[in-house]
Amino acid sequence: SFSHNITNTLSGEMEDSDWTVAPNVKDIYSETDADFQGYVADASVRFWFLNRQYGGGSSLSIGVGAGFTYQHYEWEAGDGYQWSWTAYAGPIIGLAITYETDLYMPYVELVIKSKLGKMDITGTIGGSPYLWVKDEDDHKLTQKILKTDADGFAVKAGMQANYNFTKTWF
């Protein structure tokens, strides 16, 4: 599967707080206009080890799967206002910050699929024993580029329901 925001950018307002001098005191607060875009790609294979058919076209299937998810998000913010005790305070004109994040997640999952009349319901639960994330924040006003390369584990769950109008349309 592949998903991407329909408009090339989604706009909104970003609120941001940062620390400059004391590590436990937020010193900077800003509100800026933000544009976001991103996409998610997911590929998986499944093996169905139970497939029961019942009367009236109902069925229950249980399987296992393995897959890989990749997520890419980027946004930029600017044109707003910043408040601070120790840094610049005032209007922000133009681009103030950009973000870019990539997530890589291999996973295994348990899948349950049920058909009840014209309704198909699929539920998944799984996990990733190892995933990694790369992130880059480019703070234009303070001329700082912050990069993160992190790893960990994750739990993944999903549910999907389809109503089948015909054999080919749902």
Side-chain angles (χ1 to χ4, degrees):
S1 66
F2 180 82
S3 59
H4 187 297
N5 47 304
I6 265 182
T7 61
N8 196 21
T9 57
L10 298 174
S11 297
E13 185 178 81
M14 184 177 92
E15 296 180 20
D16 189 29
S17 296
D18 285 316
W19 296 264
T20 57
V21 180
N24 294 324
V25 178
K26 290 183 182 179
D27 176 48
I28 298 174
Y29 174 79
S30 63
E31 293 178 0
T32 51
D33 295 333
D35 288 323
F36 168 84
Q37 63 181 349
Y39 62 88
V40 177
D42 184 87
S44 65
V45 293
R46 292 180 176 158
F47 174 76
W48 301 98
F49 58 84
L50 176 70
N51 192 3
R52 302 280 172 146
Q53 303 294 321
Y54 301 103
S58 296
S59 66
L60 174 68
S61 301
I62 300 176
V64 293
F68 186 83
T69 297
Y70 172 70
Q71 298 176 353
H72 175 81
Y73 302 113
E74 57 186 60
W75 59 100
E76 54 185 39
D79 295 331
Y81 198 86
Q82 177 171 295
W83 295 266
S84 175
W85 297 103
T86 61
Y88 171 76
I92 298 170
I93 299 170
L95 188 60
I97 193 166
T98 62
Y99 296 95
E100 187 170 341
T101 301
D102 294 292
L103 174 126
Y104 307 86
M105 183 175 72
Y107 62 88
V108 293
E109 63 184 352
L110 175 67
V111 185
I112 299 174
K113 184 175 182 179
S114 179
K115 182 172 180 66
L116 303 167
K118 292 189 170 203
M119 183 75 97
D120 292 332
I121 301 171
T122 304
T124 62
I125 187 159
S128 175
Y130 181 79
L131 64 86
W132 61 101
V133 177
K134 295 179 184 241
D135 175 80
E136 181 177 301
D137 305 342
D138 187 352
H139 295 252
K140 305 289 186 186
L141 296 178
T142 58
Q143 299 176 354
K144 291 181 184 176
I145 296 178
L146 307 170
K147 294 183 180 186
T148 303
D149 195 355
D151 58 65
F153 64 92
V155 174
K156 180 180 189 294
M159 180 167 278
Q160 179 177 338
N162 294 336
Y163 182 83
N164 301 297
F165 296 104
T166 68
K167 286 185 177 186
T168 55
W169 291 92
F170 64 87

